Amino acid sequence: MAASHPSLNDLPLRDSLRGQSPYGAPQLEVPVALNTNENPYPPSDAIITELQQQLAADAARLNRYPERDSVELRTALADYFSRQTGVEVSVDNVWAANGSNEVLQQLLLAFGGPGRSALGFQPSYSMHPILSESTMTEFLNCPRDENFNIDMDRALEAIAEHRPNVVFVTTPNNPTGGLTSLEDISTIVEATDGVVIVDEAYAEFSDQPSAATLLKSYPNKLVISRTMSKAFDFAGARLGYFVAAPAFVEAVMLTRLPYHLSVLTQSAAIVALKHSEDTLATVATLAAERDRVSAMLKDIGYDVVDSSSNFIFFGRFADAHQVWQQFLDRGVLIRDVGVEGFLRVSVGLPEENDTFIAAAREIHTS
Ligand code: PMP
C-alpha cells in the first residue's frame, strides 16, 4: 500500500514546538566515545551478581504495579546523600524519578507552566530550556560572562526584572565545568521569590560542599537535583533524585505519573546504592585523569576551562564543528554543544584519554 506519511508540519502540533529540534547527542559506533559525560567504568561484578538475583525475584511479580512512592529507594538515597554531603536528610526530603531529567520535568510541571518563567545561565545544560518550553514555561537566558561564570550583577538585574518562578543554577556547570560558589547561590536564592533548582548532576566530582548545606536557611525555595548517571556509573538504569523540604515532595506527587519508577529500576538502584563505596572509588581516578588531560591540553596550546567535573571544555576554534569532525575522523567522538569556539570532551578510561590527547595533538599541529 502506498500510504503517504504526513510530515511533522502536517500534524496539529503546538505552535511552540514547531521548528524545534529534539535533544540529540549523536549515538555513533566509534572506538572512543567521550561525548555524554558517562562514567566509563562498568558496574562491579558484585553489583552485577546481586542485580541478577534481585531481578530474577522481581520478574516473578511483574504482573503487579511497583511500590508507587519508592520509599525503600528514597530511604537508601537519603542515607547515601547524608553520607556524601554531611547534610542529614531523610526519606521525606528525597524524591526519585527516571533520571534527573524527569525530576526536573516534574518540578517544572509543578512550579512552571503557562504564564510562568524559568531563568537559566547559558551556556548550561541544554535540557533546561527544552524542558521549560515543553512544560509551557517561558525560558529566560541570562548569559554567563566571558569566563563562563554567572555574571552576578546581571543575574540580580534579570531576577528583579523578570521575577522568574524557577531559577536553574548548574554547579559544576555543564558544559563548561566550573562551579558557582555557595555564597553566589545564597545571593540568588535571597533575590528571588521563585524556586531555585541547583542542578548538582556532577557534584561528586567536585570538592565544593553541596548546596544542600543551605537547605536549612531556605527550605521553601531551594531544591538540589542529583543523578546516578555520572559518578554512580548507572546512566543506563535512569535514576535521578532531588533533595528538598518535604513540601516539594508533596508538590511533585501532584505532577508525576502514577507508578513512574518501575520495579526493575527501583531494585537496580537499591542494589547500586548498597555498593556505593566501591562504585564511587572511580570518582578519584576520573578526577585525576581530568587534571592530567586538562594539563596536557594546555601544554599542547589549547584554551582549557578549569573543570570540577568529569568533562573538559576547551578551544578556541575558528570553526568548532569542523574540529569536532576532525576528532571523529580519528575515531574520537566528543561533543559540539553549539558554543562558539569550544568543544567538550568527557573523561574516559586512561587509554581512551590517551587516544583523545594524541588526536588533539595531531589536530593542533595540522
Ligand atoms: N543535569 C545535568 C547538568 C546534566 O548534564 C544531565 C545529563 N547530561 C542531567 C541533568 C540529566 O541526567 P539524567 O537524566 O541522566 O539524570
Side-chain angles (χ1 to χ4, degrees):
M1 194 179 84
S4 70
H5 297 293
S7 77
L8 182 55
N9 272 334
D10 298 327
L11 303 183
L13 192 68
R14 232 164 60 200
D15 284 345
S16 60
L17 295 179
R18 284 189 190 278
Q20 301 278 343
S21 309
Y23 174 88
Q27 290 195 305
L28 307 175
E29 282 297 324
V30 286
V32 179
L34 299 175
N35 68 327
T36 50
N37 298 344
E38 292 151 335
N39 189 321
Y41 294 96
S44 67
D45 288 344
I47 292 183
I48 293 170
T49 306
E50 202 175 323
L51 202 52
Q52 280 166 340
Q53 288 162 358
Q54 183 59 46
L55 295 188
D58 288 342
R61 58 183 176 105
L62 285 178
N63 54 317
R64 300 290 179 194
Y65 282 116
E67 199 272 283
R68 202 170 39 221
D69 297 335
S70 317
V71 171
E72 187 184 349
L73 169 59
R74 284 163 53 214
T75 304
L77 285 166
D79 287 350
Y80 163 70
F81 189 85
S82 303
R83 261 184 287 124
Q84 205 270 330
T85 63
V87 180
E88 226 24 71
V89 298
S90 79
V91 58
D92 298 331
N93 301 105
V94 178
W95 180 250
N98 294 284
S100 48
N101 281 325
E102 191 181 41
V103 166
L104 299 176
Q105 186 184 51
Q106 292 172 341
L107 286 165
L108 282 164
L109 286 169
F111 298 101
R116 292 186 160 220
S117 63
L119 179 78
F121 306 98
Q122 302 274 315
S124 189
Y125 182 41
S126 62
M127 282 306 292
H128 294 160
I130 294 176
L131 288 166
S132 299
E133 299 294 351
S134 67
T135 57
M136 311 277 277
T137 312
E138 184 186 3
F139 184 81
L140 306 163
N141 178 30
C142 179
R144 287 173 179 256
D145 66 19
E146 67 281 5
N147 298 317
F148 304 117
N149 294 316
I150 294 180
D151 180 332
M152 285 302 289
D153 291 339
R154 243 164 129 168
L156 296 183
E157 271 170 37
I159 290 169
E161 186 184 339
H162 300 291
R163 304 178 64 86
N165 303 91
V166 174
V167 180
F168 286 109
V169 177
T170 313
T171 183
N173 188 45
N174 175 16
T176 55
L179 296 166
T180 299
S181 69
L182 295 188
E183 200 185 333
D184 284 350
I185 293 173
S186 298
T187 305
I188 289 170
V189 178
E190 281 179 17
T192 183
D193 301 326
V195 172
V196 178
I197 301 176
V198 181
D199 186 337
E200 290 192 350
Y202 302 93
E204 285 95 340
F205 296 104
S206 102
D207 298 330
Q208 175 165 287
S210 166
T213 51
L214 305 173
L215 277 173
K216 270 209 170 69
S217 311
Y218 310 110
N220 57 343
K221 290 199 212 171
L222 193 57
V223 178
I224 315 301
S225 156
R226 290 234 174 165
T227 181
M228 290 179 71
S229 296
K230 311 298 177 181
F232 247 98
D233 69 28
F234 221 51
R238 310 302 300 126
L239 203 289
Y241 58 103
F242 77 62
V243 178
F248 283 98
V249 173
E250 288 179 48
V252 292
M253 280 188 172
L254 302 173
T255 60
R256 61 93 182 267
L257 295 172
Y259 312 111
H260 66 292
L261 269 182
S262 82
V263 169
L264 306 176
T265 305
Q266 293 190 41
S267 284
I270 289 167
V271 169
L273 283 159
K274 266 196 217 160
H275 296 268
S276 60
E277 310 279 304
D278 294 351
T279 305
L280 293 177
T282 63
V283 167
T285 312
L286 288 166
E289 275 296 289
R290 169 196 68 211
D291 294 343
R292 178 177 79 93
V293 174
S294 295
M296 291 184 91
L297 282 174
K298 278 185 202 159
D299 265 7
I300 296 170
Y302 288 102
D303 266 5
V304 180
V305 180
D306 280 341
S307 173
S308 297
S309 191
N310 67 334
F311 53 82
I312 300 162
F313 207 48
F314 68 110
R316 299 185 177 243
F317 309 111
D319 183 344
H321 196 73
Q322 192 192 6
V323 178
W324 175 85
Q325 185 63 51
Q326 288 176 304
F327 276 101
L328 189 56
D329 294 343
R330 289 164 175 78
V332 182
L333 178 61
I334 61 172
R335 190 76 181 274
D336 176 5
V337 290
V339 174
E340 207 180 304
F342 281 84
L343 294 168
R344 190 193 72 192
V345 63
S346 310
V347 177
L349 301 170
E351 53 274 26
E352 293 176 319
N353 301 331
D354 289 343
T355 308
F356 162 73
I357 286 290
R361 186 164 282 133
E362 233 178 77
I363 291 166
H364 197 264
T365 49
S366 67

